[in-house]
Amino acid sequence: MYISSLSLANFRNYTSEKIEFSPYTNVIYGDNAQGKTNILEAVYIFSQGRSHRAKSDKELIKFGEDFSRLSLDFHDSERDYTAAMQLMKNGRKNIKINHVQITKLSKLMNYLNVVMFSPEDLELVKGSPSARRKFIDSSVSQLYPRYLTSLIDYHKALGQKNSLLKVLRAKGAKSDMMLSVWNEQLAAEGEKIIKYRTDFVKLINDFSAAIQNEISGEKLQISYMPGMRASGDDKDSIYEYLEKNQRREIDLASAQVGVQRDDLHITINGSEAKIYGSQGQQRTSALSMKIAQADYIHHIKSEYPILLLDDIMSELDINRRMYLSQKIRDKQVLITSTDTDLIESTDNTKLFKIKNGSVVREEN
């Protein structure tokens, strides 16, 4: 899988640009705050349907304009695609793939697969559980539309349940039949989510362990840590456990158990990485997990995803940079950097200099 071109109109600080990429390494460089990351963000949006950093689509529209328009030409082993997206100030979004309207996010995510790697991802091991859940969800959602649908339905039901819990605590209630209705829906969707997450973690553990061993010779182990202690992973066992927690959740006015509290348990040489791992070990593990994320997508789809590396080379030492450069050499990658000397260049590398929202193609 690779991208051949990206066109931007009124997107962030870009008025009108078209970029034609190499199917291999593309270096997007320039000073800070010039718009390098905006290019990666535009590609990412076509994969995930939303920005990895903006809270709303309004932030993506160039200041003073009413809309933003993006288009992307990409290809896999079977066919060619043209994706078009228009973002409106009123919040409306129009997306088409090969001139066919896309109305559901789960449909969009099945086309273009990407892996975004930014400096924040180096905190994957020692950061919050929500970062690790996002890592799981962004991987699985790209490949399994039903997973994303279950995830959306689960969080809708969770929102309703939390609203009800606040009302019940204010009333001094001890239980409620409607709470059982929401628990039943959460159990049904939770069963599906747990199955997908369990399968993902088994594979990502194998891929990550092999990569970590290649980089440092250390033993990395990643295991799934469910956000509840139900007697089983089936919906009846999950429902029973949720019901047992009704009283406590009413008292606290929020859901205390469920897949929204899932996490990953990560160890290095048998010790918990988050607590006992050095910064170097934690960064190596995060790097292993992100490379493994690309391997996971390739394992399922037989296509490597597009790699989006946002100023990551400056955060890695020479050994990790060399390893990452070797792993990505035959794949399409878009790399942003302020220093091109940190990036290995080949005959297939394209260089793009960014200055004040303008893109200049430079000779390698």
Side-chain angles (χ1 to χ4, degrees), residues 165-183:
L165 287 169
K166 290 181 175 65
V167 172
L168 294 176
R169 185 176 72 169
K171 290 181 176 180
K174 295 181 180 180
S175 64
D176 188 88
M177 285 185 63
M178 195 61 203
L179 197 56
S180 296
V181 172
W182 292 123
N183 281 341

Side-chain angles (χ1 to χ4, degrees), residues 113-129:
N113 301 126
V114 306
V115 169
M116 170 74 84
F117 193 4
S118 63
E120 292 76 23
D121 288 312
L122 292 171
E123 304 297 310
L124 187 59
V125 174
K126 69 175 182 179
S128 67

Side-chain angles (χ1 to χ4, degrees), residues 259-302:
V259 298
Q260 77 277 9
R261 292 178 177 265
D262 283 358
D263 199 357
L264 295 175
H265 186 247
I266 304 170
T267 63
I268 301 172
N269 295 333
S271 299
E272 189 169 357
K274 185 176 182 178
I275 299 173
Y276 301 107
S278 67
Q279 184 183 57
Q281 287 176 317
Q282 291 173 347
R283 288 193 163 201
T284 299
S285 298
L287 177 60
S288 298
M289 290 169 69
K290 293 302 290 188
I291 296 173
Q293 186 179 15
D295 289 342
Y296 165 77
I297 292 172
H298 175 257
H299 175 79
I300 301 297
K301 289 197 73 172
S302 299

Side-chain angles (χ1 to χ4, degrees), residues 60-323:
L60 307 177
I61 301 172
K62 186 177 173 66
F63 183 76
E65 302 294 340
D66 294 325
F67 69 91
S68 177
R69 192 174 289 129
L70 307 87
S71 66
L72 189 77
D73 292 322
F74 64 100
H75 320 267
D76 62 24
S77 59
E78 296 183 354
R79 63 181 300 188
D80 303 326
Y81 301 90
T82 294
M85 184 179 301
Q86 182 163 302
L87 309 174
M88 305 299 293
K89 244 184 179 179
N90 61 9
R92 293 182 62 187
K93 181 187 299 182
N94 186 286
I95 306 172
K96 292 182 179 180
I97 303 286
N98 290 346
H99 308 292
V100 177
Q101 192 81 30
I102 303 296
T103 57
K104 290 185 177 181
L105 180 59
S106 58
K107 297 293 185 183
L108 175 68
M109 293 179 73
N110 204 34
Y111 285 96
L112 180 69
N113 301 126
V114 306
V115 169
M116 170 74 84
F117 193 4
S118 63
E120 292 76 23
D121 288 312
L122 292 171
E123 304 297 310
L124 187 59
V125 174
K126 69 175 182 179
S128 67
S130 62
R132 290 182 285 278
R133 286 193 298 272
K134 183 179 179 182
F135 169 72
I136 298 171
D137 294 341
S138 66
S139 303
V140 183
S141 294
Q142 291 190 56
L143 304 179
Y144 298 105
R146 289 182 180 178
Y147 174 79
L148 180 60
T149 300
S150 288
L151 203 60
I152 291 170
D153 290 345
Y154 182 92
H155 282 283
K156 283 181 181 177
L158 183 64
Q160 294 291 340
K161 177 180 175 177
N162 279 329
S163 296
L164 178 59
L165 287 169
K166 290 181 175 65
V167 172
L168 294 176
R169 185 176 72 169
K171 290 181 176 180
K174 295 181 180 180
S175 64
D176 188 88
M177 285 185 63
M178 195 61 203
L179 197 56
S180 296
V181 172
W182 292 123
N183 281 341
E184 189 172 357
Q185 186 170 339
L186 290 171
E189 299 304 333
E191 178 185 38
K192 301 170 192 174
I193 292 168
I194 289 170
K195 175 66 169 63
Y196 279 111
R197 287 181 175 178
T198 300
D199 292 344
F200 167 76
V201 174
K202 286 177 182 176
L203 283 172
I204 212 73
N205 173 66
D206 292 342
F207 290 134
S208 299
I211 295 165
Q212 182 94 357
N213 184 61
E214 287 180 356
I215 298 175
S216 64
E218 296 169 322
K219 184 178 180 181
L220 175 67
Q221 185 167 0
I222 303 168
S223 54
Y224 178 45
M225 195 159 64
M228 54 186 149
R229 298 177 180 177
S231 58
D233 294 337
D234 60 285
K235 63 181 179 181
D236 291 337
S237 299
I238 296 170
Y239 174 74
E240 181 183 355
Y241 188 75
L242 293 174
E243 287 289 281
K244 284 181 180 178
N245 281 271
Q246 267 204 34
R247 183 74 176 268
R248 182 166 71 100
E249 290 184 327
I250 292 172
D251 290 342
L252 295 171
S254 68
Q256 299 298 301
V257 294
V259 298
Q260 77 277 9
R261 292 178 177 265
D262 283 358
D263 199 357
L264 295 175
H265 186 247
I266 304 170
T267 63
I268 301 172
N269 295 333
S271 299
E272 189 169 357
K274 185 176 182 178
I275 299 173
Y276 301 107
S278 67
Q279 184 183 57
Q281 287 176 317
Q282 291 173 347
R283 288 193 163 201
T284 299
S285 298
L287 177 60
S288 298
M289 290 169 69
K290 293 302 290 188
I291 296 173
Q293 186 179 15
D295 289 342
Y296 165 77
I297 292 172
H298 175 257
H299 175 79
I300 301 297
K301 289 197 73 172
S302 299
E303 298 268 6
Y304 270 105
I306 315 302
L307 303 178
L308 308 176
L309 308 186
D310 189 15
D311 200 24
I312 197 66
M313 292 301 192
S314 62
E315 300 291 330
L316 301 175
D317 63 26
I318 182 64
N319 291 329
R320 294 184 184 91
R321 281 204 307 271
M322 288 176 63
Y323 182 83

